[in-house]
Amino acid sequence: MHCGKFLPQPCSRREFLSRSAGGVGAIALESLWAAEGWAKNQLSGLGQFHHAPRAKNIIFLYMDGGVSQVDSFDPKPRLTQEHGKPFPARIEPTQFDSIGTTMACPWKFSQHGESGIWVSELFPHVATCADKLAVVRNMVSQFSEHNSANYFLHTGFGQAGLPSMGAWISYGLGSASANLPAFIVINGGLIPSGGMDNFSAGFLPALHQGTIFKPQEIPIANLKPPAPISDEQRALLRDLDILVAERFHHDDAVESTISNYELAFRMQTTVPELADLSDESAHTHRLYGLDADFEPTQIFGRECLLARRMIERGVRFIELTCPQTPGNDRWDAHSDLKKNHSENALATDQPIAGLLKDLDQRGLLEETLVVWSGEFGRTPFAQGSNGRDHNPFGFTIWLAGAGIAAGTVYGETDEFGYRAVGSETTIHDLHATMLHLLGVDHTRLTFRFGGRDMRLTDVHGKIVEPILA
Amino acid sequence: MAPQQPLSWIRLTETKTSAAASGQASPGLLRPMSRQVTTFWGLLTLFAIAASSVHAETRQEGSPTEPDAAAVVASRDHESVASAQATLASEHWVWQPVQQFDVPSVSKSAWAQDSIDAFILARLDAEGLTPAEEVDALIWLRRVTFHLTGLPPTPRAIENFLADNSPAGRAKVVSRLLESPAFGECWAQHWLDLVRFAETKGHEQDSDIPYAWRYRDYVIRAFRANVPYDQFVREHIAGDLLPEPRIDPTTKTNQSIQGTGFWHLGEATHSPVDIRGEEADRVANQIDVFGKTFLGLTIACARCHDHKFDAITTADYYALCGFLQSSGYHLANVADPEAVNRVRDELVTLNQEMGPRIFASYERLVQPRLSRLPDQLLTSASQARHNLQKKEPVAEKTESPESDNDLAQELVEAKGDPTHPLHTFATAALNVDEKSSVEATTKAIKQALAQTESYQRDQQEHTRKRFSHLEVIATQKEGELNPVAERHPYDPAKHRIVCFSEGWDASNPAAWLTAETCFGDGPVDVGAWILTTCRDQPLRRIVQHRSACSSYISPHLTGLFRTRTFEVVGDKLWYRYRGTADVFMAVDSHRTVSGPLHASVKLKLESPGAYTWTAHQVDDYLGHRVHVEFSPTGDFELCEVRFSSKQPPNPLEPQSNWKTALSKEPPATLHELATATTNQFGAAIVAVGQKRGDSNAASWVNWLLAHDDLLPAADPQLLATYHEEARLYVDRRQAIEKRIPKPVLAIAMLDGNSENETIHIRGNHLDLASEPTPRRFLSALDREIKIASGSGRLQLAERLVDPENPLTARVFVNRVWQHLFGQGLVTSVDNFGELGTAPTHPELLDYLATEFVESDWNIQQLISRLVLSATYRMSSSPVAASRQRDPTNRWLHAAQVRRLNAENIRDAILAVAGELNDAQYGPSVHIHITDFMRHNRSAGGGPVDGDRRRSIYVEVRRNAPGHIFAAFDKPTPFTTTGRRFQSNSAAQPLILLNDPFVHQQARSWATHLVNRYEQDEAALTNAYLTALARPPDNAERLRIEQYLKKRLGNHPTQDHRIETWTEICLTLYNVKEFVFLL
């Protein structure tokens, strides 16, 4: 049951090339080249949607380190009552094994918008977008350590080497941009624990690996040569390649590599243009917080604005990593929760709200899914005196935009915000839902590797229906 | 087989047809996996859904139908399980024995150069296909040079070849290439892809895998030395257990043991909260790599349930896990084992020879001094009394000789220490004074003797009682809230892990598990002499308790002692030892310790003098299986390891032996008592000298050895003689020790005791079957293996390379075929199972496998034969009719155009520029960290040009894959990758056009060309020969000359020429032919 079967009818490689020359460049080249014998099953993408997609693109706001659910979107008055007392429920083993007393949330919660969604003071700007959000409060992960949890969040497996969700989407849907890859990671400074493997193509072809994009003038690697390459030099290369193509009796692999150079040359103009924010209005700059006093806010603001510009240019999957805030290790508030979360929220809150509003104003939110998630949450009891340890047993994420039932809250945790109760939403469920919104059946996006048909959702995953519009 | 049954229902309850029809499994049949099961390795439920149609297709291609699934469901008993497996096994081609096929007769017998060609041609004949024409000689040369060495041919090689491109000339080229170091480097890289070679462990800290590069060097050396493949396989599985390890002639290092390093090249986390779960994942990866690499089987699929498609059961999987549970990681010293053994033997002989002479000389030196000891004891006693009365510090205000004063001090201490040899004397002597009457003195002596005797009796009684009252507390900390302390009476069988005195069973191999040489062949007995290279006193001490002793032969020998694997059943584990050592408790084989969690598995033992007990708090690991390793950091003796809630009693405290010493009346005077005491020392020396010293005698002699300065002065003559003996001994010993090779460390396996793994039901390590599964091979391949002791890996290795095993040779020849022809005869090179592909040329595959085994598994011979075949010489331009008939080139009617792999591209860039550093082996060059790779955890990066070393010598960091390598499809090192992709991404042209490394090399190349050739035309010819192994054709020449002319004008400067040539060189790096082979 391979995806290739969904192609309406077999087309020759040459046809495929000409058909895709204008648009789905990269994936077409890939398929072209790969359509040789053995590789046929291995490299082709989805070909067509399994069902009508609700979303064209995804922006994944990765809250590296794990945001505390009980301090953000999941208010628990019981914690205030029990503050300073021994935690009155069973505690699972924790990463640091330094278990303190029950700890109240230091921020006030209030309800926002027509939906009345509870948001803490940490996120005053996002709070103004409450009616756009679907808050999922019963998330669970399987790992208490960053790396395994990061890999799990990104790839559906707790170890390195498997394809990241962006790579799967690139593989399945290809790029809608002639000049940009399908999967881009805008790196605000914090590549998550576990390194580049979080954005790896795993066993998928390298084409699908996340391209690291920095919010700076030359945003991707090797875009500009150390010494300029003249038009004459390009012409020389082109002419020599024409002769070489002849020598290689127009072998497809060689020819698609030649075409690929054209893409690379095009990127040299389109990517700097994409990264240049000067044509955005002063209003937009302010909306995203580019004029903020706090430098990390400016950085994340640029990331969010870049994400919108990529959406406009057809990038399928954009992941944003957080900027470094001084003295904090990501959202990973093992000590001094108050400083850590205040500063990380300060860095991300306004840009995220800006992004949601801007997308909405431009009508892009209807076709863009925005996901806000860390790899796990944090414990309702203290680590040491004023930190919180990792908690994969119940935490909160939110989604917004295409196909999402705006202004909903789904799922709950116990009275301490420690464990999901009633039902659980797993990372696999999140992945299944993301793919579903993109028009992809997660059980049918497969890739034969190591003796089995691999999936992003492994053998799990159910669509989180209650949050869908 | 019993535990297998409850697991098998998964495969039996789902009918493939229903799953295929609905595209979904019905929920009732596929229960969700446990949440604890976190990895993909074994979770094959997916197959029921996604792969079922593939399966159905496979079936349609001609194999008999599956046994009626519904019927099997009806009776879920062993019989049907077994028969279902047997049917599967009997059906699929891969389990069939390798068959002997006759070389087919073919149409164009002149075309076929080798029997291989006949097999290919016969198939082409049958399909009505015509082989492509023979390729141009230079294209063949470039092809074979890259395929064998990963580098382009040099202009000189081209010239030589053109002088003789006859069959003999070609054979010469192939021999030259096979002999070159580059061959080893190129083919080692293929192998490293299989064993997911990396030098770090990934995850948060990306910790180093120390000395991983030695494994890489081992593989290179093995390919260079043309080690027979069966030997290579044996070394990987059990190189540490081979009776005669293979020694590298250059470095003299043990090569065989280094093969086992591959087991430990996987990823690992540093603080797993679920340590057993992490182990299960690690082991699954090891089994996965093992299965795919050597057998082309996806064995790890059977982690959660019987394999959906292949004849591999869950029991097979856990049977194999047992081999790993019975083994462990070891950073082995692989330095010249022959030299080490020789030196060890010489040291043993020297000690046997010289030890008695030294001891005798010591005895001669000490006995006369002992005869003067009674007087000295009396003087010192008097001094001590004097000091005590004055209540002044003893050392001050005294005119007596220092030794008397020190001895006086010692007596004061002895009085307070009932285990001290001088205790009785001191007690009596310090309770009387010069004025005491004879009666009072006699009374005091009697009292002291009685007191000692009673103490000793009490002590014995007490010890016995303490043993009988010993208990082990196991605190269950479930949920941390209400820990429950369970108390268990002490049970030696369960709680005593190591004890060399009682219960020591020399015939039990699990009781003596050591690595390397320093601990010798068994525990050292009580009364043994420890000799050192101290020139004044080479006799260091006498062993008081039978122990694992690291310095009995020489402290310069390396090694470690490990316990058997046992379950943690108490809060505290106690070690009784003396000396210094590092302790590592491997919990569920976890190694990567960093940070607070699991820091407690490490402990430093430090008691340079006395035997002592140290507790290891292990309550965090109750219920886990562990073993403990002791790595000496100096002189070290280990006596016991046991669980206990409190400090266990000392088994044997030194006892005064008054009963024997006092044959007649009890001493009436202090002098008599002093003499009797001295006699005990004398008797102890005699006993130890005659090698019949017990623990008491040893302790008395040890007191003398440690307090030589308190004894009466030695006779200068005797002392000189003793020192002369010592000098003779020490000189000889040091001369021998100097020859101990410097340690060379490499990753290896170390055998433990026999451990069997228990099936994890549905792959859940928290849900275990009732009985462990005995270790054995795959059930489809005659599984039983007889294992007397240890892991049994050697027997497993023998099964892998047994000619009866149809897989090992087939899988390997197929890999070689793939590297040379672009695709394997079985295209799914790592999976020969049902979901893999069937061989295109089954007869040829079996023919090659048979020939390979018959050639004594000769890898180079196989490669040589294949590249000299007519098949290999075909052009990549197919005959038009054949292309039409077989567009995917399934039947190999033409060669395949192939892109070079990542390492070849980088190496060729360097080689062509004339910059390749041909240094071989050694620690890796750090990976260059670009701005886009760098993050807050990035290690310091290496140079942009990787020191111009070949790519195989560039560090493989899991968290920082080299950007050039990653872009050109070097696989992520997480499992076996026998076939790489050739993908086409924008990152590739961006690198070749813009990367600083490529620009740097283009400039070097241009500089060499301009410096060497005044004429651009000659430079151009050389550039083409170097880069593409051919001269430029006219069109190319004209086009480039046109470019040169335009850029250079008539009188270019040298700099201008270099500038322009840099542009041309960069262009040539980007001409597609640079990265493609015709």
Side-chain angles (χ1 to χ4, degrees):
Chain A
M1 187 168 299
H2 193 269
C3 297
K5 290 206 164 168
F6 293 94
L7 286 170
Q9 58 186 32
C11 62
S12 79
R13 284 167 280 152
R14 232 160 266 282
E15 268 176 314
F16 207 143
L17 178 64
S18 55
R19 195 186 293 177
S20 51
V24 266
I27 191 71
L29 292 172
E30 182 59 42
S31 312
L32 238 191
W33 184 337
E36 299 281 340
W38 172 84
K40 190 169 69 188
N41 244 9
Q42 299 269 341
L43 294 179
S44 57
L46 196 56
Q48 73 176 35
F49 299 110
H50 293 132
H51 52 261
R54 299 293 302 269
K56 280 188 184 167
N57 325 290
I58 295 180
I59 297 175
F60 193 89
L61 304 167
Y62 175 52
M63 297 297 114
D64 186 358
V67 185
S68 167
Q69 67 284 5
V70 294
D71 299 305
S72 54
F73 293 95
D74 195 5
K76 294 294 169 186
R78 181 80 194 270
L79 292 181
T80 314
Q81 294 160 25
E82 303 277 342
H83 181 75
K85 296 178 194 159
F87 192 67
R90 188 191 136 140
I91 292 177
E92 302 287 342
T94 59
Q95 173 108 58
F96 282 84
D97 207 17
S98 159
I99 292 156
T101 52
T102 308
M103 185 159 88
C105 166
W107 295 278
K108 282 203 192 73
F109 270 89
S110 50
Q111 287 181 286
H112 295 269
E114 285 177 21
S115 55
I117 289 179
W118 290 91
V119 185
S120 84
E121 294 170 317
L122 271 178
F123 297 107
H125 291 89
V126 170
T128 64
C129 305
D131 288 343
K132 300 190 201 315
L133 310 182
V135 176
V136 180
R137 285 177 176 166
N138 62 350
M139 283 302 295
V140 292
S141 179
Q142 294 181 355
F143 299 92
S144 299
E145 314 95 34
H146 289 293
N147 322 281
S148 300
N150 280 341
Y151 292 147
F152 188 50
L153 174 65
H154 283 88
T155 73
F157 296 92
Q159 68 266 85
L162 290 112
S164 192
M165 46 192 164
W168 275 109
I169 289 166
S170 167
Y171 158 70
L173 298 178
S175 179
S177 164
N179 307 324
L180 291 168
F183 172 23
I184 291 181
V185 178
I186 307 179
N187 178 20
L190 292 179
I191 288 201
S193 171
M196 308 302 276
D197 274 338
N198 285 294
F199 316 123
S200 157
F203 45 72
L204 297 173
L207 165 69
H208 303 296
Q209 77 199 9
T211 298
I212 303 293
F213 202 101
K214 283 183 157 185
Q216 63 191 29
E217 193 193 337
I218 297 180
I220 68 173
N222 287 311
L223 194 65
K224 285 267 185 301
I229 293 175
S230 65
D231 289 347
E232 285 166 35
Q233 210 177 332
R234 283 192 199 185
L236 175 67
L237 174 59
R238 194 189 53 228
D239 291 349
L240 294 177
D241 268 343
I242 289 171
L243 297 169
V244 163
E246 202 72 29
R247 280 180 70 77
F248 281 76
H249 31 85
H250 298 281
D251 181 88
D252 286 328
V254 177
E255 294 220 323
S256 49
T257 305
I258 292 171
S259 310
N260 198 26
Y261 268 67
E262 297 305 319
L263 169 65
F265 284 130
R266 281 201 304 280
M267 282 173 71
Q268 294 186 343
T269 42
T270 54
V271 171
E273 182 260 336
L274 160 69
D276 178 7
L277 304 180
S278 63
D279 61 349
E280 297 284 345
S281 70
H283 166 76
T284 304
H285 280 239
R286 274 198 305 281
L287 181 66
Y288 282 86
L290 297 189
D291 58 345
D293 294 334
F294 193 49
E295 203 196 335
T297 314
Q298 298 170 22
I299 296 172
F300 202 69
R302 276 197 293 278
E303 293 181 64
C304 286
L305 182 49
L306 278 168
R308 191 215 78 209
R309 292 168 70 90
M310 290 178 188
I311 290 296
E312 290 170 328
R313 286 158 177 79
V315 178
R316 287 274 183 209
F317 188 95
I318 303 151
E319 174 162 351
L320 272 58
T321 70
C322 289
Q324 174 85 52
T325 52
N328 300 314
D329 183 13
R330 307 161 282 169
W331 285 92
D332 196 22
H334 286 288
S335 62
D336 205 347
L337 169 82
K338 204 160 174 198
K339 172 185 183 309
N340 177 299
H341 271 38
S342 298
E343 291 175 2
N344 277 297
L346 183 61
T348 54
D349 177 43
Q350 188 187 348
I352 291 172
L355 174 67
L356 291 174
K357 287 173 184 163
D358 196 21
L359 289 174
D360 201 11
Q361 281 158 18
R362 290 166 194 262
L364 292 168
L365 197 56
E366 279 177 28
E367 55 190 45
T368 303
L369 173 66
V370 181
V371 182
W372 178 92
S373 174
E375 66 268 38
F376 39 52
R378 310 209 73 84
T379 54
F381 46 85
Q383 174 181 348
S385 62
N386 60 2
R388 294 194 194 274
D389 209 328
H390 311 159
N391 179 24
F393 308 108
F395 62 102
T396 301
I397 68 166
W398 58 253
L399 300 88
I404 291 297
T408 49
V409 173
Y410 169 67
E412 57 178 325
T413 50
D414 60 24
E415 53 188 333
F416 305 104
Y418 185 36
R419 294 163 198 274
V421 291
S423 60
E424 291 179 342
T425 302
T426 67
I427 300 292
H428 301 300
D429 298 342
L430 172 65
H431 290 156
T433 308
M434 287 162 60
L435 291 178
H436 171 76
L437 289 169
L438 289 169
V440 177
D441 175 352
H442 70 101
T443 64
R444 295 194 289 170
L445 179 63
T446 65
F447 185 88
R448 176 73 54 81
F449 177 78
R452 53 176 289 203
D453 282 0
M454 303 297 296
R455 280 169 30 190
L456 172 60
T457 51
D458 194 6
V459 298
H460 311 278
K462 56 179 195 308
I463 293 156
V464 190
E465 299 284 355
I467 62 164
L468 300 183
Chain B
M1 287 297 283
Q4 184 192 315
Q5 197 265 333
L7 306 165
S8 305
W9 68 273
I10 307 167
R11 72 163 292 119
L12 301 174
T13 48
E14 81 208 16
T15 66
K16 292 190 167 118
T17 40
S18 70
S22 64
Q24 292 282 345
S26 35
L29 294 178
L30 295 170
R31 185 172 78 174
M33 292 290 177
S34 145
R35 222 162 57 85
Q36 284 81 10
V37 179
T38 55
T39 65
F40 80 94
W41 299 108
L43 300 183
L44 283 185
T45 315
L46 172 61
F47 276 152
I49 308 158
S52 48
S53 64
V54 173
H55 185 73
E57 279 172 7
T58 321
R59 291 272 162 231
Q60 281 161 13
E61 278 178 22
S63 46
T65 49
E66 183 86 338
D68 183 347
V72 183
V73 178
S75 65
R76 280 193 238 143
D77 57 22
H78 297 178
E79 294 289 314
S80 58
V81 171
S83 81
Q85 291 302 341
T87 315
L88 269 177
S90 65
E91 273 174 16
H92 194 59
W93 68 272
V94 81
W95 306 106
Q96 312 304 323
V98 174
Q99 291 180 58
Q100 303 270 3
F101 288 99
D102 293 332
V103 178
S105 52
V106 287
S107 58
K108 292 182 268 181
S109 48
W111 184 82
Q113 305 282 312
D114 188 297
S115 320
I116 299 160
D117 299 324
F119 281 100
I120 293 293
L121 191 57
R123 191 72 228 196
L124 293 176
D125 282 351
E127 302 290 333
L129 299 166
T130 316
E133 283 182 15
E134 183 172 333
V135 80
D136 172 81
L138 285 182
I139 294 176
W140 178 85
L141 181 67
R142 185 166 190 250
R143 191 187 278 175
V144 76
T145 309
F146 265 113
H147 284 165
L148 265 51
T149 65
L151 292 171
T154 60
R156 190 195 184 84
I158 293 168
E159 200 180 312
N160 289 342
F161 178 58
L162 286 178
D164 174 15
N165 64 9
S166 67
R170 281 197 295 267
K172 224 158 69 190
V173 167
V174 171
S175 314
R176 175 177 61 76
L177 294 174
L178 288 172
E179 280 161 24
S180 70
F183 166 75
E185 290 157 345
C186 177
W187 283 73
Q189 185 61 55
H190 296 322
W191 186 262
L192 296 184
D193 285 2
L194 301 181
V195 297
R196 40 87 175 102
F197 175 80
E199 299 178 69
T200 62
K201 298 180 186 175
H203 289 266
E204 183 167 2
Q205 303 193 334
D206 206 18
S207 337
D208 289 342
I209 302 177
Y211 301 101
W213 58 267
R214 278 234 160 79
Y215 172 80
R216 172 251 284 151
D217 283 356
Y218 155 80
V219 177
I220 297 174
R221 285 183 212 281
F223 276 101
R224 288 209 62 196
N226 202 20
V227 172
Y229 183 66
D230 61 336
Q231 171 73 8
F232 191 59
V233 172
R234 266 187 216 104
E235 291 178 354
H236 273 75
I237 309 304
D240 56 322
L241 302 172
L242 292 179
E244 281 189 27
R246 187 170 59 82
I247 307 299
D248 174 57
T250 321
T251 61
K252 307 284 184 206
T253 48
N254 178 344
Q255 293 295 294
S256 299
I257 192 173
Q258 298 187 51
T260 59
F262 94 98
W263 291 105
H264 304 293
L265 298 172
E267 53 183 283
T269 48
H270 74 282
S271 295
V273 170
D274 181 356
I275 196 166
R276 178 75 167 114
E278 202 251 0
E279 175 183 50
D281 289 349
R282 252 187 302 111
V283 170
N285 176 255
Q286 290 172 318
I287 300 284
D288 190 48
V289 168
F290 162 82
K292 288 174 178 167
T293 300
F294 299 105
L295 297 165
L297 291 175
T298 54
I299 299 172
C301 285
R303 178 179 173 187
C304 303
H305 45 68
D306 293 345
H307 201 291
K308 294 285 174 185
F309 300 102
D310 296 330
I312 302 166
T313 64
T314 306
D316 284 346
Y317 174 84
Y318 289 94
L320 288 170
C321 290
F323 290 98
L324 295 167
Q325 294 293 357
S326 314
S327 316
Y329 166 91
H330 174 47
L331 198 54
N333 177 6
V334 301
D336 195 346
E338 281 164 14
V340 173
N341 290 340
R342 209 163 42 236
V343 168
R344 181 202 56 195
D345 293 348
E346 285 180 41
L347 286 169
V348 169
T349 311
L350 177 72
N351 285 349
Q352 277 167 356
E353 230 175 71
M354 294 283 292
R357 280 173 59 183
I358 299 229
F359 197 91
S361 172
Y362 174 73
E363 200 175 335
R364 278 198 299 280
L365 176 71
V366 170
Q367 291 291 17
R369 295 164 76 193
L370 287 181
S371 66
R372 283 179 282 128
L373 184 61
D375 288 340
Q376 190 165 327
L377 281 172
L378 291 174
T379 319
S380 298
S382 157
Q383 173 75 37
R385 284 193 299 266
H386 178 72
N387 291 349
L388 285 171
Q389 272 162 12
K390 285 168 72 185
K391 300 203 164 128
E392 289 285 333
V394 177
E396 290 167 30
K397 303 192 181 177
T398 172
E399 286 138 31
S400 47
E402 207 174 306
S403 69
D404 285 358
N405 204 14
D406 287 349
L407 188 55
Q409 166 90 21
E410 183 77 12
L411 287 175
V412 174
E413 278 169 22
K415 189 179 175 227
D417 175 7
T419 67
H420 199 289
L422 297 176
H423 176 69
T424 316
F425 174 77
T427 307
L430 299 185
N431 277 346
V432 294
D433 58 30
E434 282 82 357
K435 292 168 204 146
S436 303
S437 64
V438 176
E439 289 77 15
T441 306
T442 311
K443 195 175 160 201
I445 291 170
K446 266 189 183 158
Q447 271 174 356
L449 281 168
Q451 200 183 318
T452 303
E453 200 179 329
S454 119
Y455 169 80
Q456 290 182 178
R457 213 175 30 242
D458 286 357
Q459 196 60 31
Q460 280 165 358
E461 179 63 15
H462 185 59
T463 302
R464 213 186 57 223
K465 248 193 210 151
R466 281 180 67 188
F467 267 113
S468 65
H469 283 85
L470 268 186
E471 61 172 11
V472 173
I473 294 178
T475 309
Q476 307 292 337
K477 290 195 287 188
E478 184 83 357
E480 303 277 348
L481 276 181
N482 301 302
V484 180
E486 290 173 5
R487 293 165 178 275
H488 302 281
Y490 179 74
D491 170 6
K494 212 164 132 195
H495 298 139
R496 190 170 62 197
I497 309 302
V498 172
C499 181
F500 295 113
S501 45
E502 321 152 46
W504 162 244
D505 175 8
S507 66
N508 175 13
W512 186 256
L513 299 169
T514 61
E516 292 148 40
T517 42
C518 79
F519 283 100
D521 299 326
V524 174
D525 274 326
V526 175
W529 315 328
I530 304 290
L531 298 168
T532 70
T533 50
C534 171
R535 288 175 183 275
D536 293 334
Q537 180 60 290
L539 189 61
R540 169 67 56 82
R541 68 199 160 72
I542 313 301
V543 172
Q544 260 171 261
H545 302 286
R546 185 154 54 189
S547 59
C549 178
S550 72
S551 51
Y552 183 54
I553 303 172
S554 165
H556 300 291
L557 295 172
T558 61
L560 65 74
F561 178 87
R562 60 156 281 182
T563 66
R564 64 182 162 84
T565 301
F566 57 96
E567 185 185 327
V568 176
V569 291
D571 292 355
K572 283 188 182 130
L573 190 61
W574 290 85
Y575 308 127
R576 185 166 158 80
Y577 68 98
R578 60 157 299 285
T580 56
D582 285 337
V583 173
F584 186 91
M585 185 168 74
V587 181
D588 297 322
S589 68
H590 178 68
R591 285 274 162 189
T592 313
V593 175
S594 164
L597 198 66
H598 307 309
S600 69
V601 300
K602 289 181 177 175
L603 195 67
K604 274 198 179 306
L605 297 184
E606 237 176 322
S607 178
Y611 290 90
T612 188
W613 283 105
T614 292
H616 198 164
Q617 194 71 31
V618 295
D619 53 333
D620 283 344
Y621 303 110
L622 278 178
H624 290 262
R625 288 193 76 74
V626 304
H627 76 259
V628 185
E629 294 173 0
F630 300 87
S631 307
T633 49
D635 176 21
F636 179 69
E637 275 178 56
L638 178 72
C639 310
E640 272 187 68
V641 176
R642 67 166 75 205
F643 285 105
S644 176
S645 58
K646 286 191 234 125
Q647 177 169 329
N650 294 332
L652 283 167
E653 284 188 353
Q655 309 273 306
S656 306
N657 208 346
W658 291 110
K659 282 220 173 80
T660 326
L662 307 173
S663 51
K664 291 173 270 170
E665 286 294 294
T669 64
L670 286 178
H671 191 272
E672 282 175 30
L673 183 63
T675 307
T677 303
T678 304
N679 288 345
Q680 287 199 58
F681 280 116
I685 290 181
V686 172
V688 168
Q690 293 172 355
K691 298 245 165 174
R692 51 175 181 79
D694 58 8
S695 192
N696 285 325
S699 79
W700 284 67
V701 176
N702 279 340
W703 186 88
L704 287 178
L705 289 169
H707 299 87
D708 196 70
D709 55 339
L710 301 187
L711 301 182
D715 176 84
Q717 196 66 47
L718 291 173
L719 189 62
T721 314
Y722 182 60
H723 283 165
E724 179 54 19
E725 290 286 356
R727 190 188 62 77
L728 278 175
Y729 171 73
V730 171
D731 283 354
R732 279 179 64 186
R733 174 158 161 174
Q734 284 179 335
I736 301 170
E737 282 178 339
K738 229 179 252 167
R739 287 188 281 112
I740 297 178
K742 228 176 107 195
V744 176
L745 299 180
I747 306 164
M749 273 291 197
L750 176 63
D751 229 31
N753 55 301
S754 286
E755 287 276 304
N756 290 324
E757 180 61 289
T758 307
I759 288 178
H760 303 172
I761 295 175
R762 292 185 65 89
N764 179 355
H765 63 281
L766 303 176
D767 190 2
L768 301 178
S770 52
E771 299 274 328
T773 308
R775 281 153 294 149
R776 56 168 174 73
F777 196 36
L778 299 174
S779 40
L781 295 174
D782 185 15
R783 57 188 179 224
E784 299 311 326
I785 289 181
K786 285 199 170 54
I787 301 166
S789 67
S791 67
R793 278 181 290 116
L794 189 54
Q795 291 91 322
L796 176 66
E798 291 304 337
R799 293 302 292 276
L800 280 182
V801 298
D802 189 316
E804 296 290 302
N805 174 354
L807 285 161
T808 307
R810 273 183 186 147
V811 167
F812 188 74
V813 297
N814 187 57
R815 293 191 190 285
V816 173
W817 185 276
Q818 177 203 251
H819 292 311
L820 297 174
F821 293 96
Q823 72 178 40
L825 298 168
V826 175
T827 52
S828 57
V829 291
D830 301 325
N831 183 13
F832 276 41
E834 281 266 0
L835 284 194
T837 47
T840 49
H841 300 75
E843 298 86 3
L844 176 55
L845 182 64
D846 276 10
Y847 173 80
L848 286 171
T850 308
E851 294 271 297
F852 183 51
V853 173
E854 280 174 7
S855 75
D856 198 15
W857 308 78
N858 189 327
I859 298 170
Q860 291 190 7
Q861 187 180 314
L862 172 68
I863 293 172
S864 168
R865 206 175 149 182
L866 294 183
V867 297
L868 289 171
S869 69
T871 308
Y872 186 80
R873 285 212 305 282
M874 279 191 288
S875 144
S876 58
S877 176
V879 174
S882 298
R883 178 200 278 232
Q884 210 155 27
R885 253 189 127 86
D886 178 20
T888 60
N889 195 17
R890 183 171 182 208
W891 305 116
L892 216 63
H893 56 78
Q896 254 187 31
V897 168
R898 290 159 72 189
R899 197 197 72 203
L900 300 177
N901 71 21
E903 292 88 346
N904 297 165
I905 292 171
R906 182 182 162 279
D907 292 354
I909 288 172
L910 286 165
V912 162
E915 292 288 305
L916 186 66
N917 174 351
D918 59 6
Q920 290 177 67
Y921 308 123
S924 296
V925 185
H926 289 304
I927 188 80
H928 175 64
I929 308 270
T930 69
D931 281 351
F932 285 84
M933 291 160 68
R934 185 172 300 286
H935 54 85
N936 54 334
R937 289 174 200 80
S938 289
V944 68
D945 64 357
D947 272 351
R948 301 175 290 109
R949 299 283 304 273
R950 286 202 74 173
S951 302
I952 197 168
Y953 299 116
V954 175
E955 179 187 39
V956 185
R957 291 201 79 80
R958 281 200 154 87
N959 282 7
H963 66 296
I964 299 180
F965 301 130
F968 285 100
D969 301 287
K970 182 182 172 106
T972 308
F974 85 114
T975 185
T976 301
T977 311
R979 183 190 167 97
R980 290 188 178 191
F981 284 113
Q982 298 195 2
S983 78
N984 190 18
S985 72
Q988 295 165 0
L990 289 177
I991 283 171
L992 290 179
L993 286 167
N994 299 338
D995 196 80
F997 165 71
V998 183
H999 278 252
Q1000 178 199 58
Q1001 295 307 313
R1003 176 162 294 271
S1004 301
W1005 183 14
T1007 310
H1008 292 313
L1009 284 172
V1010 168
N1011 288 340
R1012 194 161 153 205
Y1013 299 101
E1014 278 179 25
Q1015 297 302 318
D1016 287 331
E1017 195 183 337
L1020 183 58
T1021 305
N1022 178 272
Y1024 261 75
L1025 280 177
T1026 314
L1028 307 175
R1030 64 174 174 90
D1033 65 23
N1034 279 339
E1036 287 163 334
R1037 190 178 289 283
L1038 284 173
R1039 182 65 183 85
I1040 292 173
E1041 279 170 359
Q1042 178 200 14
Y1043 184 86
L1044 281 165
K1045 201 166 174 190
K1046 197 163 173 194
R1047 297 279 289 130
L1048 290 176
N1050 289 332
H1051 303 289
T1053 62
Q1054 183 82 342
D1055 283 354
H1056 195 185
R1057 274 191 83 206
I1058 290 177
E1059 208 59 48
T1060 306
W1061 271 100
T1062 302
E1063 291 158 18
I1064 291 172
C1065 291
L1066 184 71
T1067 306
L1068 288 179
Y1069 280 149
N1070 280 278
V1071 164
K1072 306 307 165 277
E1073 190 174 351
F1074 186 76
V1075 296
F1076 278 97
L1077 293 181
L1078 253 173

